[in-house]
Amino acid sequence: MVKNIASYSTLTLTILALLYFSFQSNETIDLSKYSTEGLDYTYTVGSETASLPKTLDSENSFSPYLGKSFVGFKEALAFKESGGDYNSVNTYGYLGKYQFGAETLKMIGIYNPAKFLKNPRLQEKAFIANAARNKWILRRDIKNFVGKRINGIIITESGILAAAHLAGPGSVKKYLRSYGLDNFADGYGTTVHYYMKRFSGYDTSFIKPNQKAKAI
């Protein structure tokens, strides 16, 4: 590129010199034999930029990067549960974006599943309340097992809370205290171990342990 710039500069100076002398001698100079063909005019953007990865798959798609934040945690969990659909009801009757069962809803103060399904704000509150309740129930296990390796994975708080959402805190206790031997699976075959691994390492410090947490 430097060589091309030098060539272009030399040619420009040559043309200017010829024009100067032509004015001095009143002669007509034929410039047709002077050409910039073959010179590279792309001085500030190299051709390697064509190989840079695209940020978006298309102009019409947008996927915010939430990383390991709490919002990233709950949205990733919701996507696994229902595809993020507030109106979802699965074949076992679990409801909403986070797939709550009727009995779990009762424990956090919700007694009308039909109204719950139509209320996205209440579904978000239910997720927070249930996570806070599970964190209180599992507080000793979080203290004793976070950082330990079970079945090839490092146990994290977010993994524990995700698994509790899937299977209930009792099943998580059994998994941890048996060092992975008691590995509950739901009706679709999803295990406590899988959720421990899939949702490992998120920041769930936003959730405060609360034995009496309610969504309402």
Side-chain angles (χ1 to χ4, degrees):
M1 182 182 293
V2 174
K3 183 178 180 180
N4 288 337
I5 293 173
S7 299
Y8 182 82
S9 300
T10 301
L11 178 58
T12 302
L13 290 173
T14 301
I15 292 171
L16 290 173
L18 290 171
L19 287 171
Y20 174 80
F21 288 115
S22 71
F23 286 124
Q24 293 296 318
S25 60
N26 293 320
E27 296 181 0
T28 300
I29 304 297
D30 181 10
L31 299 178
S32 62
K33 62 183 178 180
Y34 299 100
S35 172
T36 58
E37 182 179 357
L39 291 180
D40 184 358
Y41 293 102
T42 308
Y43 301 124
T44 58
V45 181
S47 59
E48 67 273 9
T49 58
S51 63
L52 291 176
K54 294 182 179 180
T55 303
L56 303 178
D57 293 332
S58 72
E59 293 180 357
N60 298 321
S61 66
F62 177 66
S63 178
Y65 180 70
L66 298 172
K68 292 291 186 176
S69 68
F70 174 71
V71 175
F73 169 71
K74 74 181 187 68
E75 293 304 317
L77 186 56
F79 187 81
K80 177 65 178 69
E81 291 286 333
S82 70
D85 183 3
Y86 286 108
N87 300 308
S88 175
V89 180
N90 76 5
T91 54
Y92 293 95
Y94 287 82
L95 307 166
K97 179 178 176 180
Y98 300 100
Q99 295 291 278
F100 279 100
E103 293 304 313
T104 300
L105 290 177
K106 289 178 183 178
M107 287 188 289
I108 54 176
I110 299 170
Y111 298 94
N112 191 323
K115 287 186 177 180
F116 170 78
L117 193 61
K118 296 177 182 179
N119 191 333
R121 180 173 293 183
L122 183 57
Q123 291 188 34
E124 296 295 338
K125 289 182 178 180
F127 179 79
I128 300 297
N130 188 55
R133 180 177 174 276
N134 286 339
K135 191 168 182 177
W136 185 87
I137 294 171
L138 292 163
R139 64 196 184 284
R140 292 189 180 90
D141 297 275
I142 290 171
K143 180 179 179 180
N144 293 333
F145 287 97
V146 165
K148 293 185 177 179
R149 186 181 294 273
I150 296 178
N151 283 343
I153 63 170
I154 300 296
I155 302 301
T156 65
E157 181 179 284
S158 61
I160 288 175
L161 294 179
H165 183 86
L166 170 76
S171 294
V172 174
K173 283 186 178 184
K174 291 177 182 178
Y175 177 84
L176 293 172
R177 296 177 188 186
S178 69
Y179 283 84
L181 295 177
D182 193 334
N183 187 20
F184 172 89
D186 71 2
Y188 299 106
T190 306
T191 65
V192 167
H193 171 80
Y194 174 77
Y195 263 42
M196 287 274 191
K197 181 178 180 180
R198 171 64 182 80
F199 298 104
S200 173
Y202 286 87
D203 180 5
T204 51
S205 59
F206 174 82
I207 299 295
K208 305 304 178 185
N210 185 350
Q211 182 184 14
K212 299 179 180 180
K214 301 291 182 182
I216 297 177

